[in-house]
Amino acid sequence: MTTTFSPGTSVTSAILNITNGTAAPFRLPFDDVTVTWCAVFLLSFLVIGFCGSLLTIIVILSCTKLQSVVFNQIILSLCFADLTSACVSWVNLYRRTWGFNQFLPPDFFCWFYWGADILTSYVTAMHFVVFSVLRFVSVWRPAYMENIKIVHVKIGIFVMWFIGFISGFVPVALLSGVSVIDRSDLSIPNARWPSCTQYLETISSYGDMIAITFPLFLYAPCMAIMMLFVATLVVTKRKRRERLPSISAAPVASLHQKEEREEERALLQVSLIVVSFVVGYFPFTIFEFYAMNNTDSSYEGWKAEWLFGTVQYIFMRFSECLNPIFYNCASAEMREKSLEVLRCQVCRWHRQPIVEIPVSTTNSVISQSEAQL
């Protein structure tokens, strides 16, 4: 006996059509209230993430001084990654709720979402590592930073995006798409997954791919970032202990204060990166391995898997929304420029329209004035 699955009238109900002519109601692993809350969170994060990333991009591109800073070039590239994630996040919301059984948009949106999602994850992780390394160097050996030019950073950014595209976007996009899911046997992995997901015949290939690339592009970077944070903290404390015994003249004391402010900024940025990475990407990687190896065919197991996948994606989007805030928190100049751009935009919105006086009316007024004279 074979079965097919067709959508019902509600997002939380459907009909399991059986070839012998009978039909049975079929419960989905979520209800309308849960869908509503998911939509509230993810659509809010979409707007916040899009506006925050776009604002940071505009601020950096509109300020030559900010563009000349090596770290800001990496932040600029990270904002493009977050902007991409925000733009495709609606696909994840749709595929896990209203489009769970039948993905109505063109197949392009499905495989492009999967490719872009993995691409931005890998690119973000590589950027975080490079940023943390440069921050550590700026504290440990500040003179070395003078040898790093903007062109070097731009080349590195291009290489990271290229690696992410070849290692993430291409293989995942090829392995993903829209298909009709047979949910008669929930022990089959993709029977519990949305219609827009990995193809059943390529699930093993997808499992092999994430088994190789996740440790390389996600777990290893996470460990590296944590180690760099500890190393930056240790170097900072050691340098401050060395400064304490010396009683310096005013110019030297001022220089030490400047160095300490730079060290505090480095520690703050690296610590925020650690928080963002752990909150956003650890649940994501754990869920991918869990979903690939989950054999619980009960309805409760299906519901738990759906809830885990939805919550981990909400956490990822939340961490990406925090990134623009982190960038501004760690840089006074970035904050000032961001507020300046916002103030200019608000003034532009509230600017009164200029009323143009017709030329004929103006000439008439002038003629009357001359007549009176």
Side-chain angles (χ1 to χ4, degrees):
M1 180 181 66
T2 60
T3 60
T4 57
F5 191 72
S6 60
T9 57
S10 172
V11 71
T12 59
S13 64
I15 298 297
L16 187 66
N17 295 324
I18 306 176
T19 54
N20 60 9
T22 62
F26 198 91
R27 284 192 305 166
L28 295 178
F30 49 85
D31 54 34
D32 292 321
V33 175
T34 306
V35 170
T36 301
W37 279 110
C38 290
V40 169
F41 279 114
L42 289 178
L43 292 177
S44 299
F45 292 156
L46 188 159
V47 174
I48 296 171
F50 181 88
C51 294
S53 298
L54 184 61
L55 173 63
T56 308
I57 291 171
I58 292 173
V59 167
I60 296 177
L61 292 180
S62 61
C63 181
T64 305
K65 185 177 180 181
L66 290 177
Q67 291 184 53
S68 63
V69 179
V70 167
F71 300 107
N72 290 340
Q73 290 293 327
I74 301 176
I75 289 176
L76 181 65
S77 182
L78 279 168
C79 285
F80 277 108
D82 291 339
L83 193 67
T84 303
S85 295
C87 290
V88 301
S89 62
W90 68 268
V91 180
N92 186 278
L93 171 63
Y94 178 78
R95 62 179 284 271
R96 297 191 68 84
T97 54
W98 303 286
F100 191 85
N101 299 319
Q102 187 177 23
F103 192 85
L104 296 179
D107 189 67
F108 163 81
F109 289 98
C110 178
W111 62 259
F112 183 83
Y113 157 75
W114 277 104
D117 189 58
I118 295 295
L119 166 66
T120 53
S121 298
Y122 291 178
V123 167
T124 299
M126 288 186 284
H127 278 59
F128 279 173
V129 172
V130 172
F131 191 94
S132 300
V133 168
L134 293 178
R135 265 308 179 193
F136 171 71
V137 172
S138 69
V139 173
W140 179 50
R141 292 288 189 270
Y144 289 176
M145 292 300 298
E146 298 179 1
N147 299 323
I148 302 176
K149 307 300 180 183
I150 296 296
V151 64
H152 300 151
V153 178
K154 289 184 176 180
I155 293 173
I157 290 172
F158 173 80
V159 170
M160 286 186 285
W161 277 95
F162 181 76
I163 292 174
F165 182 79
I166 296 299
S167 304
F169 184 93
V170 173
V172 174
L174 291 175
L175 299 176
S176 307
V178 179
S179 56
V180 177
I181 304 297
D182 181 3
R183 304 192 192 278
S184 59
D185 184 5
L186 294 180
S187 63
I188 302 173
N190 81 328
R192 302 184 299 272
W193 298 350
S195 175
C196 167
T197 188
Q198 282 70 48
Y199 296 120
L200 178 61
E201 58 271 18
T202 61
I203 285 180
S204 60
S205 299
Y206 178 77
D208 294 338
M209 190 212 71
I210 65 173
I212 296 172
T213 59
F214 276 22
L216 182 63
F217 290 108
L218 296 177
Y219 293 141
C222 184
M223 295 301 298
I225 293 168
M226 291 181 178
M227 293 172 62
L228 286 165
F229 170 74
V230 174
T232 305
L233 182 62
V234 170
V235 170
T236 299
K237 289 188 173 182
R238 178 176 60 81
K239 285 196 168 187
R240 292 189 176 182
R241 284 198 302 267
E242 293 173 354
R243 296 191 191 108
L244 286 178
S246 61
I247 302 176
S248 305
V252 179
S254 177
L255 178 62
H256 286 173
Q257 291 177 356
K258 183 178 180 181
E259 291 176 351
E260 288 182 359
R261 285 196 299 269
E262 184 65 21
E263 291 165 358
E264 290 174 355
R265 182 185 301 178
L267 278 173
L268 178 59
Q269 287 182 326
V270 177
S271 62
L272 292 177
I273 284 175
V274 172
V275 171
S276 176
F277 200 94
V278 171
V279 170
Y281 293 98
F282 248 52
F284 164 67
T285 55
I286 293 173
F287 170 74
E288 289 296 314
F289 284 112
Y290 166 76
M292 289 293 298
N293 298 282
N294 182 27
T295 57
D296 188 350
S297 59
S298 66
Y299 175 78
E300 288 73 19
W302 189 19
K303 187 175 181 178
E305 181 176 322
W306 182 91
L307 186 61
F308 186 7
T310 303
V311 170
Q312 64 83 19
Y313 189 75
I314 290 176
F315 270 91
M316 180 184 290
R317 292 298 308 129
F318 175 69
S319 70
E320 291 172 348
C321 288
L322 289 178
N323 288 339
I325 300 175
F326 290 166
Y327 305 148
N328 283 270
C329 287
S331 173
E333 188 171 10
M334 186 82 76
R335 287 196 301 273
E336 293 175 2
K337 293 296 181 182
S338 297
L339 291 174
E340 181 180 335
V341 170
L342 290 175
R343 282 195 296 267
C344 291
Q345 188 61 45
V346 171
C347 291
R348 188 176 294 111
W349 287 338
H350 289 82
R351 185 177 299 166
Q352 294 296 329
I354 299 174
V355 179
E356 296 184 359
I357 302 176
V359 177
S360 58
T361 305
T362 305
N363 293 336
S364 175
V365 172
I366 294 174
S367 300
Q368 293 176 6
S369 302
E370 290 175 348
Q372 292 176 359
L373 293 175

